[in-house]
Amino acid sequence: MEKDLRQQKTNIIKIALFGPESTGKTTLAKQLAEYYETEWVPEFARDYLQEKWEENKHICVADDMMPIAYGQTALENEKLARANKYLFCDTNLMVTKVFSEMYYGFCDPLLNEAALKHEYDLFFLTDIDVPWEKDDIRDTPEGRETVFSVFKETLIDTKKPFIILSGDKEARLAKATSIIDNLTIAKEHDFSSADFVQVYNRGISFDAILKQLEFFNNGIVKSNLVNPATIGNGILSLSESDFEEKVSFFDDEKEKLKIKKFVPASGAATRMFKFLTAFLNDFDLQKETINAYINRKKDKELALFIVGMEKLPFFNEVDQKLREIYPDFETLERDYKNYYFIKLLLAPEYFDFANKPKAVLPFHWYETHIANPIEEHLNECVHYATSNMVSNLHFTVSEIHQNLFYKGVDEVIQKIEEPSGVKINIGYSYQNKSTDSITIYEDNQLVKDKNGHLIFRPGGHGALIENLNNLDADVIFIKNIDNVIQNHIDKITLYKKSLAGVLIEIQQKVFSYLKAIDQNEILESHLEGIVLFLKEKLNIEMNNDFNKFTFENKLSKVKELLDRPIRVCGMVKNEGEPGGGPFWVLNDKGEVSLQIVETSQVDLTNKKQQIILAEATHFNPVDLVCGIKNYKNEKFDLLQFVDQKAGFIVEKSFEGKTVRSYELPGLWNGSMANWLTIFVAVPLITFNPVKTVNDLLKAAHQPQ
């Protein structure tokens, strides 16, 4: 036997099966070799030690480790020469190294060095969830968990790319082949094995990564605006009595329904304090005055903040803390007071407002207390999202902030429940990491940190369509965490309930048509009325080909158009706020539909598109009421109604360099593109977002 521990160089993809005794390595290696029509490398030690046992009943000793290592290497190189694209190794020198250290307390330096040098494209760590099978040379089934942990820690410590395989042999084979197929594609796109494992462990399908790469390379097709949606042309205008009528209808129907409120609240308040962070980073109290800084930077936001800070709901608390820290605070110059106030507000060791979620920040100053958005949303919830004296509220949160939400809810829920007599059920969910995006530099190279790990970024609020998809409710109100108001709960309730009334009316009509179609009760003479309903109530017009269809095909088309989730969206007059608005949009199939479109989705180099964008009269305040069940009372799979081509490429900064990442189609944009859509004009009082801290100085957020 040649005493050589070097691996032959190769372009063959090599997979190492790695794990304790009797964990299915040999079975899987044989299965994979058969599946891919290639070679597999048996365990040299098995025959070597079996022969020792049969000759004189000798068991393995420390001196056997090096002969086993040489034999295993030679066998692997021999099989490699005959392999076809893949080679599956039942064992490898890393296994020999682990057993040497476990049983004999040391590892020969030559074996250790070779085990670390030997390269495999992927290690499958075989789990201990299969039965122990006894034979002559196996040790004992006791302590399998400990042995498994040693194997796992070895892979982690040696930075080897690995994935754990569990389940029965059929499940393992299916999982392994899927992983190997995707690993092969990843290699073809210059992803390393370590990159691939990172993507896999995040739960991101490699198909999704390939789509992201395609978007990076080819860009994303912009929306094709036909016209802005306006009153009478896509936006429904209701009188005050109409609104009240819709509210009465909703109140009559709500006890039959399970109602829920859904509040996206995942992010930190970083942008809310962005101009204050920039000020702290760029201002030197010893070298210039704050007024000079404001003039130099033309920073109107900072000027407004300083003038109005005493009206902010957190002013007294911060001011009190300043006086504790600086006993001579009252004698300080005005610039020092203002600078220290801002510094304390953002300091991680004190208030740390920029790193907390908006949900827990002080928003409103009442006579008896200071209220945050959690309290305001709970209060709203009992007023319009209640049936049978039960209210359901769901927050999307980030893991790092969840305890802050728990605390925030615990502090206020009782004082909302007791006077209202309503039981509030609170649910939480995270934005799924499987919706994250890889990040690339301008030259399309993958962005990695100093440890060589890929940098991922969240996929935007469009990822929350999965969270919405997991909810069980008949009617779901959607409202952003920062869109709350001080006082005027009666007005907010009126307009939210009226949108729900519109939804239920439309939904009942849609359901009646679909049930009639199912029961063969629709005659040809009825079709004209359904087509008119689609046009007048749902803004869907049939194309010219429809009249050429057979009656059966017409019914099929009508059913396909009606059998969708429904959204009723409040629209406010456009007063220059950044964000999306309602438009008639032409898709790549030549179909025109109502959509909420963000400015970033519009081709601003196209003058015609610019003009249409500028003619918009209304703005999307993210004030939605949704129906996510079909006429059979089954939940829709909302992921089937997403326009996957409506995502965004966004530019960010990483270590001073511009990087790009992909964001999923927005929750109320592309993610709901194929829903039935009704836009309703609602008053501006319903739209009070807090995008910057200065918005808290507006009348909607000040005591009345």
Side-chain angles (χ1 to χ4, degrees), residues 55-99:
E55 283 181 1
N56 47 31
K57 296 293 188 282
H58 284 181
I59 60 171
C60 185
V61 294
D63 288 345
D64 289 318
M65 293 295 100
M66 289 309 294
I68 288 172
Y70 289 125
Q72 191 65 49
T73 304
L75 188 55
E76 182 179 311
N77 289 335
E78 176 191 324
K79 293 286 187 177
L80 182 64
R82 302 200 298 268
N84 170 35
K85 193 172 182 179
Y86 302 101
L87 181 67
F88 300 100
C89 304
D90 180 13
T91 191
N92 52 80
L93 296 198
M94 192 67 76
V95 175
T96 313
K97 164 183 156 66
V98 171
F99 278 124

Side-chain angles (χ1 to χ4, degrees), residues 358-427:
K358 288 182 182 179
V360 302
L361 298 183
F363 262 39
H364 297 149
W365 202 337
Y366 291 99
E367 285 185 9
T368 56
H369 69 293
I370 305 292
N372 60 26
I374 287 178
E375 179 177 340
E376 299 292 21
H377 276 289
L378 263 67
N379 189 37
E380 282 192 21
C381 206
V382 299
H383 279 83
Y384 59 74
T386 297
S387 68
N388 299 303
M389 303 308 287
V390 174
S391 196
N392 301 291
L393 177 57
H394 188 95
F395 291 110
T396 64
V397 303
S398 58
E399 290 183 62
I400 59 171
H401 294 142
Q402 184 159 340
N403 287 337
L404 288 175
F405 275 82
Y406 288 157
K407 182 181 177 185
V409 167
D410 287 345
E411 287 174 351
V412 299
I413 191 167
Q414 196 171 359
K415 72 177 181 182
I416 303 292
E417 284 184 329
E418 283 188 356
S420 67
V422 173
K423 168 66 177 171
I424 307 175
N425 298 317
I426 308 289

Side-chain angles (χ1 to χ4, degrees), residues 71-334:
Q72 191 65 49
T73 304
L75 188 55
E76 182 179 311
N77 289 335
E78 176 191 324
K79 293 286 187 177
L80 182 64
R82 302 200 298 268
N84 170 35
K85 193 172 182 179
Y86 302 101
L87 181 67
F88 300 100
C89 304
D90 180 13
T91 191
N92 52 80
L93 296 198
M94 192 67 76
V95 175
T96 313
K97 164 183 156 66
V98 171
F99 278 124
S100 181
E101 290 169 343
M102 282 178 56
Y103 288 105
Y104 311 116
F106 78 100
C107 178
D108 188 293
L110 287 176
L111 171 56
N112 186 68
E113 182 183 5
L116 296 176
K117 278 186 178 179
H118 278 205
E119 293 185 356
Y120 299 90
D121 294 278
L122 188 64
F123 284 77
F124 279 135
L125 175 57
T126 49
D127 205 348
I128 55 174
D129 59 343
V130 292
W132 171 272
E133 293 184 9
K134 179 175 173 55
D135 67 21
D136 291 338
I137 61 172
R138 280 185 177 151
D139 197 355
T140 171
E142 281 76 37
R144 295 180 87 195
E145 292 84 0
T146 302
V147 176
F148 180 81
S149 296
V150 171
F151 273 80
K152 184 178 179 180
E153 286 303 316
T154 298
L155 291 175
I156 294 170
D157 292 344
T158 56
K159 296 181 171 58
K160 300 295 184 184
F162 75 95
I163 291 172
I164 297 174
L165 281 185
S166 305
D168 61 28
K169 63 181 182 180
E170 289 78 15
R172 289 188 182 197
L173 178 62
K175 183 176 178 181
T177 53
S178 173
I179 291 168
I180 292 165
D181 290 346
N182 280 304
L183 173 65
T184 305
I185 296 169
K187 293 283 186 182
E188 290 168 358
H189 286 82
D190 296 325
F191 282 77
S192 70
S193 295
D195 296 338
F196 174 78
V197 170
Q198 266 192 273
V199 170
Y200 179 86
N201 287 338
R202 216 171 187 87
I204 306 173
S205 75
F206 213 78
D207 280 345
I209 296 294
L210 293 180
K211 285 177 184 173
Q212 291 172 19
L213 291 173
E214 183 182 337
F215 288 136
F216 289 139
N217 290 328
N218 303 327
I220 293 176
V221 177
K222 298 290 187 178
S223 295
N224 189 352
L225 306 184
V226 177
N227 283 304
T230 53
I231 298 292
N233 182 32
I235 300 180
L236 180 63
S237 179
L238 300 176
S239 67
E240 207 59 29
S241 61
D242 289 334
F243 278 120
E244 289 170 359
E245 182 185 315
K246 303 300 181 190
V247 170
S248 295
F249 179 70
F250 171 70
D251 283 338
D252 289 341
E253 297 291 321
K254 68 181 182 181
E255 305 306 326
K256 309 170 195 172
L257 304 169
K258 184 176 181 181
I259 300 170
K260 194 178 290 279
K261 183 177 176 182
F262 180 78
V263 181
S266 305
T270 310
R271 291 182 188 175
M272 189 171 159
F273 299 94
K274 186 176 179 181
F275 71 93
L276 293 180
T277 302
F279 165 69
L280 292 178
N281 289 337
D282 196 40
F283 177 70
D284 188 336
L285 189 57
Q286 308 303 319
K287 293 182 178 178
E288 67 178 334
T289 64
I290 292 179
N291 196 51
Y293 172 89
I294 290 170
N295 291 331
R296 175 167 65 87
K297 291 286 191 175
K298 297 181 174 57
D299 195 337
K300 294 179 182 177
E301 291 276 9
L302 180 61
L304 178 59
F305 178 85
I306 288 173
V307 168
M309 63 165 56
E310 291 187 13
K311 294 182 179 180
L312 292 169
F314 47 78
F315 176 81
N316 286 344
E317 188 179 2
V318 179
D319 185 65
Q320 183 179 339
K321 178 60 69 174
L322 282 168
R323 294 171 190 279
E324 291 175 14
I325 297 170
Y326 304 101
D328 60 342
F329 184 78
E330 194 57 49
T331 65
L332 294 177
E333 294 177 14
R334 174 57 56 187

Side-chain angles (χ1 to χ4, degrees), residues 215 220-221 601 643-649 662-666:
F215 288 136
I220 293 176
V221 177
Q601 293 177 273
D643 178 2
Q644 299 292 351
K645 299 176 183 176
F648 308 85
I649 300 295
Y662 170 74
E663 287 194 0
L664 293 164

